[in-house]
Amino acid sequence: MRYLLALILIVPALAQQPEQPAKPADQAAAAPAQTEQKTESPAPAATEDWITGSVDFGYRWVSDAGNFESYRSVVNLGQGPKLTGIDFTILDPNKRFFDRLDARAYGWGGDPYSTAHVDARKLGIYDFSFDYSNIAYFNALPSYSNPLAPAGFDEQSFDTHRRNTSLSLDLRPGKTIVPYLAFDRNSGYGHGIDTWVQDSNDEFAVPTLLRDSTNNYRGGIRIEWCNCLHVTLEVGGTTFKDDDQATFSGANYGDNTTPLLGQTLELTSLQQAYGIRGSSIYTKALATASPFSWLNLYGQFLFSEPRIDVHYTDLATGNFALLSELLFYSGQQNIGTGAANQPHTSGNVGFEMRPFRRLRIIESWMTDRYHDAASPLDAEQILLTPKTLGPDLITAANYSQAVNYNQQQTDVLFDLTSRLTLRGGYRYVWGDATVLAGPLSQSGPLAYGQLSRNVGLAGLTFRASQKLSVNLDYEGASSDRIYFRTSLNDYYKLRARARYQLAASLMLQANFQVLNNQNPNAAIQYNFGSRDNSLAVYWTPAGGKRISVMGEYDRSTVSSSIDYLGLFLSPAVSAYRENAHTASSAIDIALPGYAGLTPKFTAGGSLFISSGTRPSSYYQPLMRLSLPLQKHVSWNTEWKYYGYGEQFYLYEGFRAHVFMTGLRLSR
Amino acid sequence: MLRPVGNVRAMFLAAVALFTTAIWGAQDKPGAPAPPPAATQPAEYAGSQACQLCHEDIFNAFKKNPHQLVETGNRNGWATRACEACHGPGGKHADSASAADIRQPAKLKPADTDKICLTCHLNEPTHVGRINSSHARNQVSCTACHSIHANGPNGLVARRQTDINKLCAGCHADIWASFQRPYKHRLPEGAMSCVDCHNPHGSFLPRSIQTVNANEPGCFKCHGDKRGPFTYEHPPVRLEGCMACHQPHGSANPRMLTRAEVRFVCLECHSNLPTPTPAATLGTVPPAIHDLRLPRFQNCNLCHQKVHGSYVSRDFLK
């Protein structure tokens, strides 16, 4: 990607090569063309900059105390020289390759989130877009993996990056028929600690190498006709591969350190490799139309058929147990093969009808259907000694799964007055699922589930004046069938949002949201409730020229309880509580200026404090000072503090001061 | 190989029939959108040059604005009168210089503002989900996000991740508060934006979730390794989506889980308390009974690490 960054930096230079004096003959030929160009899209005036933008760079120091693995899991900002941002726009006066090019890149120089974006367009010829991101995923939280090992990079930890690249090219944008091509790639790479599981007797932490990638290629045409019809036809293909590996050599006694029938279980070597390959081709058609001024129609249909082929091997040596046969053995080899095929059909149609000036009726219907056919096979060969074969264990299956989801919704919107719009509606959701049952299932290899839910909808929008607006949404539902114990069952959801312009420089905004879900079934007893209230204040006296203040406060609560069978199958309740306060603020102050330059000071940040099942606190205050040195150069300094603490896992807390200073060059 | 069932075909045919009717209707044009004004400029139209006399800053900025196409192109029939395409005939206003004599879309009812925008933008691919979007239902007008006169690197709407997030947080302050939690997607850092996951114009998925590739939830755009199909699927992933176990906006729990400890995420479904038919739920019977007193059995993911789906193990062990 460093080459990409170099390219981004070089493009401005290439785009503005010194103009050669035009030859007389060329000048005559160019004159009409220039006139035509001016009519199409006027070139920037000669006095305007052909390039505008900025570059931010500097050096960051990080001083942290506490659990470094937690810091990396939550914040992960590193020390060193950083290119924090490049952002520029080029308006090519000659319009040779493009009319306009916008490019921006942020977080380069080892930051955990690096992004780049380029848009280039030439009027009526093409529209090109490139997007890239490389995001680090580091997670090594002892409380998540193994609470008894509160340090270090332990089980279920990983240090990976996920990269996303997207390219799209629209040809003849703005015309009636627009062909387009696109490519997307998502890939992950890095390492981690997984467990190699030996039956339920023991599991051994082993280092893994993680590699996967998904490529998507698509192309199609968009047809837009007289603003009353649009059709998009698209064909796409996806390829996928997963080549995760695990390799270990040494003495590993696993998590079960208690001898089993007098013997200590041990893993001495492991070689594990996945070779997963997938492909899919899909076809999509979507359309919108407005045959009459009072009717809008839309619809979409898609069919895809992804397929996965599985190749898996592992070879492990050590001292293992097969309790079902009271057998101890020194090695095992697994070979897994199989395939999964998943035809996927989805479609939706709907319309918006306005039979009268004040009335809108919106109807929609959708279906989404996955039908799986899978045939996995796993052959396990037990090695009593490295050269003596033991029993074979073959696990094979050949089954089909189906998931069908359907939804129909009707909404009616009525303008009671010019300021008040009322909404009412009804949604019916239904579906069925046939899935592989658990190994201990008493009702056969497959399990069946159904979904049937009736939802009533209501709401209003009230705009008392330009200064006050209120939105209210209510959703109440009753379910006859649900898929899971924790699914939405009998619930109501209410959301209110209000904005009030108290004065020209002062605006208030309030949000209120509540969700209550109940499942009184005797074997479930699920009670879930959540509330979220927030208030935001924006104060911008004199349009925020001197000072602007933003403050937000949010209070949220979650309360959940559900029955289950715990230890020795005794009745137990899983209860979860959270009572959280979140506040964030930003104060921007324009300091007294000098030489026509205005320094700017920013202070603010956020805090999060919660109590309940996992009490924790997270503070992120910040201060920033921007001192202009001259018209196009400013010196920026920033201090941030990250403080994280947990009441039950004190060892996971950290405190970090992050100090950064650097320059911003702009034009 | 399994094929789509018959009623899907019927739906597709119905959709085709519907659109055939639509096209037929459009050709008939009994109530189609009003055609662009005739080439002869009516007296009440003043032309953009007249607007420039008083609003030169807007006029100059507009030259670099994508809507400049309206001024210079002929497709929409508003050449040389782009201002009046949205503001209506400006002749009277040009004479009186009174704000009362000109249409100000920003001060109209949202539905009326949208109607102006949709005069040109009604049938576009981004609007397939518009009718169903919560923004449309809640009367959030186009101009709430798009600045029609604006110019600069952002054009008509915020493009930088941080700007997009700021724009969305302006209304969704409660959601933005979730991103101040320790475990969240990297929005405050500017690595992502709200529109990476949500389509503000609407989507056919709930909560305006973006779709990728073959109409799959936008989550798989970045987490392609969780997409499948797997030879052993974990049904909640397909049936309830990521939010069955995760809080994507932010959580106090590691890995954005809905519960503080992994085992409760699992045990609340795998409760070993089967519900009797007809209200039977899936997955109630656990795959095995472990001694939950032991720490090694308190995090189910230690062994059942492929909970998003496995290629090899029915128990998601590898």
Side-chain angles (χ1 to χ4, degrees):
Chain A
M1 260 347 272
R2 69 191 69 173
Y3 301 112
L4 167 71
L5 198 61
L7 183 68
I8 290 174
L9 290 167
I10 287 167
V11 164
L14 292 177
Q16 183 69 357
Q17 290 169 355
E19 284 193 45
Q20 300 295 324
K23 294 174 185 173
D26 291 342
Q27 282 176 342
Q34 281 171 0
T35 310
E36 191 181 332
Q37 218 170 39
K38 194 171 181 178
T39 312
E40 278 293 300
S41 176
T47 52
E48 287 185 84
D49 287 337
W50 60 274
I51 180 169
T52 52
S54 62
V55 179
D56 288 83
F57 57 93
Y59 195 92
R60 183 189 294 137
W61 289 266
V62 178
S63 161
D64 62 274
N67 192 313
F68 183 63
E69 307 292 352
S70 292
Y71 170 76
R72 285 203 64 197
S73 301
V74 175
V75 183
N76 210 10
L77 289 172
Q79 190 165 290
K82 306 290 173 191
L83 179 60
T84 49
I86 303 174
D87 192 332
F88 61 84
T89 298
I90 298 172
L91 297 172
D92 184 358
N94 299 323
K95 299 179 183 295
R96 282 174 297 187
F97 303 113
F98 54 83
D99 297 338
R100 178 184 177 122
L101 185 146
D102 297 291
R104 51 188 182 272
Y106 300 100
W108 291 81
D111 266 0
Y113 355 95
S114 305
T115 59
H117 189 92
V118 178
D119 281 321
R121 62 187 65 94
K122 190 164 174 60
L123 190 65
I125 306 295
Y126 75 86
D127 206 338
F128 171 78
S129 177
F130 166 81
D131 196 59
Y132 173 82
S133 67
N134 183 351
I135 299 182
Y137 285 81
F138 182 93
N139 200 296
L141 293 166
S143 68
Y144 178 82
S145 55
N146 189 344
L148 297 182
F153 195 78
D154 206 338
E155 293 170 32
Q156 296 301 306
S157 301
F158 52 79
D159 186 2
T160 62
H161 283 250
R162 290 212 74 82
R163 285 174 171 167
N164 274 301
T165 307
S166 297
L167 294 159
S168 71
L169 177 67
D170 289 7
L171 300 172
R172 308 177 72 249
K175 308 287 187 193
T176 302
I177 298 177
V178 181
Y180 65 92
L181 297 165
F183 168 73
D184 301 287
R185 177 178 170 82
N186 169 246
S187 62
Y189 69 95
H191 65 276
I193 306 285
D194 268 354
T195 45
W196 183 77
V197 184
Q198 197 276 308
D199 213 353
S200 60
N201 304 316
D202 203 354
E203 63 280 345
F204 306 89
V206 291
T208 55
L209 182 66
L210 305 165
R211 286 181 301 175
D212 71 84
S213 64
T214 306
N215 296 326
N216 177 255
Y217 313 83
R218 56 197 163 88
I221 55 166
R222 283 197 291 271
I223 302 166
E224 292 176 25
W225 185 53
C226 73
N227 200 37
C228 58
L229 174 71
H230 148 254
V231 177
T232 296
L233 303 171
E234 181 177 303
V235 176
T238 303
T239 60
F240 171 74
K241 67 177 181 180
D242 186 333
D243 291 322
D244 292 353
Q245 291 180 9
T247 309
F248 174 78
S249 178
N252 188 334
Y253 299 103
D255 290 333
N256 185 10
T257 51
T258 307
L260 194 66
L261 300 175
Q263 291 206 36
T264 301
L265 302 179
E266 181 185 12
L267 175 73
T268 54
S269 75
L270 173 71
Q271 288 181 319
Q272 182 188 53
Y274 291 83
I276 313 298
R277 295 292 179 272
S279 62
S280 167
I281 289 179
Y282 66 87
T283 308
K284 181 157 65 174
L286 57 97
T288 63
S290 307
F292 311 109
S293 60
W294 46 268
L295 180 66
N296 296 333
L297 304 167
Y298 74 91
Q300 185 175 180
F301 179 82
L302 176 137
F303 179 74
S304 71
E305 191 163 6
R307 178 187 166 85
I308 288 281
D309 289 303
V310 177
H311 301 282
Y312 169 84
T313 62
D314 75 27
L315 174 62
T317 61
N319 187 34
F320 311 125
L322 186 61
L323 283 184
S324 58
E325 300 190 19
L326 286 176
L327 176 71
F328 284 89
Y329 58 97
S330 66
Q332 70 176 62
Q333 182 173 18
N334 284 67
I335 296 177
T337 61
N341 198 23
Q342 188 184 60
H344 173 206
T345 310
S346 76
N348 61 90
V349 291
F351 65 81
E352 179 188 24
M353 189 167 60
R354 296 174 294 277
F356 309 106
R357 193 169 60 85
R358 292 183 170 195
L359 184 66
R360 290 164 60 199
I361 299 169
I362 300 172
E363 174 72 33
S364 65
W365 186 82
M366 73 162 284
T367 186
D368 204 26
R369 293 155 183 267
Y370 291 90
H371 289 187
D372 283 7
S375 53
L377 185 145
D378 182 48
E380 183 175 306
Q381 174 69 65
I382 286 184
L383 306 171
L384 298 175
T385 69
K387 291 185 179 176
T388 312
L389 298 181
D392 284 344
L393 301 172
I394 305 237
T395 310
N398 195 345
Y399 63 95
S400 296
Q401 299 187 126
V403 173
N404 299 315
Y405 177 87
N406 307 286
Q407 178 180 305
Q408 179 269 327
Q409 182 168 328
T410 306
D411 286 275
V412 178
L413 289 83
F414 183 69
D415 293 330
L416 194 62
T417 70
S418 62
R419 293 173 178 174
L420 178 63
T421 302
L422 300 178
R423 291 192 302 280
Y426 168 74
R427 183 192 304 149
Y428 180 50
V429 178
W430 74 103
D432 58 85
T434 304
V435 300
L436 191 63
L440 300 182
S441 168
Q442 303 298 308
S443 57
L446 297 173
Y448 305 94
Q450 285 186 308
L451 175 66
S452 175
R453 182 179 296 144
N454 295 280
V455 186
L457 307 164
L460 65 84
T461 302
F462 178 54
R463 291 177 185 268
S465 66
Q466 286 285 325
K467 293 180 177 178
L468 174 65
S469 67
V470 178
N471 272 311
L472 202 63
D473 263 322
Y474 174 81
E475 189 174 315
S478 172
S479 303
D480 300 322
R481 306 272 193 283
I482 53 171
Y483 285 135
F484 302 105
R485 289 160 48 88
T486 52
S487 298
L488 287 172
N489 186 56
D490 295 339
Y491 72 90
Y492 66 86
K493 195 161 34 175
L494 177 68
R495 195 192 69 213
R497 178 168 290 137
R499 289 168 74 98
Y500 182 48
Q501 189 87 38
L502 196 60
S505 61
L506 184 62
M507 195 180 77
L508 304 176
Q509 183 184 301
N511 290 293
F512 171 74
Q513 190 164 311
V514 61
L515 168 64
N516 188 293
N517 182 33
Q518 305 285 328
N519 192 334
N521 187 303
I524 297 176
Q525 297 289 327
Y526 185 38
N527 296 295
F528 179 91
S530 73
R531 281 173 186 270
D532 198 325
N533 314 305
S534 74
L535 179 66
V537 180
Y538 304 92
W539 185 50
T540 52
K545 286 178 184 170
R546 258 354 239 182
I547 183 170
S548 69
V549 178
M550 180 280 292
E552 290 172 359
Y553 170 72
D554 182 272
R555 167 84 192 279
S556 63
T557 57
V558 177
S559 168
S560 169
S561 67
I562 187 168
D563 287 358
Y564 74 102
L565 289 186
L567 193 61
F568 306 123
L569 300 180
S570 57
V573 175
S574 168
Y576 181 76
R577 299 281 183 278
E578 185 182 278
N579 186 352
H581 303 263
T582 309
S584 58
S585 66
I587 302 168
D588 291 314
I589 302 171
L591 300 174
Y594 47 88
L597 305 172
T598 308
K600 193 176 168 189
F601 175 73
T602 302
S606 71
L607 68 84
F608 167 76
I609 301 169
S610 74
S611 58
T613 309
R614 192 183 183 107
S616 55
S617 60
Y618 188 40
Y619 304 98
Q620 306 172 79
L622 72 89
M623 281 194 290
R624 190 180 296 131
L625 180 64
S626 178
L627 291 173
L629 303 178
Q630 53 157 288
K631 189 180 175 187
H632 298 296
V633 182
S634 61
W635 177 27
N636 298 325
T637 304
E638 183 183 85
W639 166 82
K640 275 186 182 177
Y641 172 77
Y642 297 95
Y644 176 64
E646 286 191 77
Q647 196 171 317
F648 294 155
Y649 305 103
L650 290 173
Y651 52 79
E652 275 188 350
F654 63 82
R655 299 165 300 286
H657 294 271
V658 178
F659 182 79
M660 181 154 186
T661 187
L663 294 176
R664 177 188 179 90
L665 311 178
S666 59
R667 177 172 172 176
Chain B
M1 187 179 70
L2 296 165
R3 308 300 305 170
V5 293
N7 55 351
V8 174
R9 284 186 195 147
M11 181 210 74
F12 181 61
L13 290 173
V16 170
L18 207 57
F19 283 108
T20 307
T21 310
I23 294 164
W24 173 80
Q27 286 172 338
D28 219 22
K29 289 186 178 175
T40 311
Q41 190 167 299
E44 60 268 37
Y45 285 97
S48 299
Q49 297 296 332
C51 307
Q52 181 190 7
L53 295 174
C54 296
H55 305 283
E56 189 165 7
D57 50 342
I58 296 175
F59 184 87
N60 289 336
F62 204 77
K63 283 182 179 174
K64 295 184 221 168
N65 186 299
H67 277 129
Q68 179 68 6
L69 275 174
V70 181
E71 178 76 15
T72 57
N74 291 317
R75 185 177 173 194
N76 297 300
W78 291 101
T80 73
R81 287 175 294 158
C83 306
E84 290 160 300
C86 299
H87 289 281
K92 191 177 176 188
H93 171 69
D95 293 338
S96 68
S98 166
D101 291 334
I102 190 78
R103 185 167 70 192
Q104 299 178 67
K107 294 187 177 177
L108 295 175
K109 271 199 322 178
D112 292 338
T113 307
D114 289 350
K115 198 181 285 181
I116 295 170
C117 303
L118 294 173
T119 305
C120 296
H121 296 284
L122 183 57
N123 287 292
E124 293 184 351
T126 50
H127 291 180
V128 171
R130 181 187 65 83
I131 293 170
N132 280 325
S133 77
S134 56
H135 279 164
R137 286 174 210 271
N138 283 298
Q139 312 269 299
V140 178
S141 71
C142 309
T143 53
C145 303
H146 295 272
S147 305
I148 310 306
H149 293 155
N151 178 50
N154 292 338
L156 296 185
V157 69
R159 297 287 181 197
R160 297 187 192 102
Q161 268 101 336
T162 47
D163 293 339
I164 294 169
N165 297 338
K166 196 173 173 182
L167 183 64
C168 300
C171 292
H172 301 276
D174 49 340
I175 303 297
W176 189 244
S178 300
F179 286 105
Q180 309 309 321
R181 295 172 172 232
Y183 305 102
K184 79 278 183 183
H185 278 106
R186 305 291 186 182
L187 272 77
E189 292 83 355
M192 294 177 67
S193 73
C194 307
V195 299
D196 285 329
C197 303
H198 299 278
N199 183 347
H201 293 135
S203 154
F204 79 94
L205 292 179
R207 302 179 189 86
S208 295
I209 293 289
Q210 292 273 18
T211 56
V212 293
N213 301 345
N215 278 6
E216 291 141 4
C219 315
F220 296 130
K221 181 186 175 188
C222 296
H223 303 282
D225 55 327
K226 313 287 190 296
R227 175 176 174 262
F230 298 96
T231 45
Y232 296 103
E233 298 258 339
H234 194 192
V237 178
R238 201 67 70 190
L239 292 170
E240 299 263 294
C242 307
M243 286 181 67
C245 303
H246 298 281
Q247 292 177 305
H249 291 150
S251 169
N253 307 315
R255 305 203 183 180
M256 294 184 265
L257 289 176
T258 53
R259 298 290 178 264
E261 293 180 50
V262 178
R263 59 177 158 151
F264 291 117
V265 179
C266 307
L267 287 169
E268 289 190 1
C269 278
H270 299 292
S271 63
N272 209 21
L273 277 169
T275 44
T277 51
T281 51
L282 296 169
T284 51
V285 179
I289 298 169
H290 302 300
D291 186 349
L292 296 175
R293 291 171 302 180
L294 298 177
R296 58 184 281 253
F297 291 126
Q298 288 179 359
N299 181 343
C300 310
N301 281 143
L302 275 189
C303 296
H304 305 282
Q305 48 203 337
K306 302 291 185 186
V307 287
H308 299 108
S310 172
Y311 299 111
V312 189
S313 167
R314 184 174 184 171
D315 301 321
F316 309 119
L317 300 176
K318 53 195 174 188

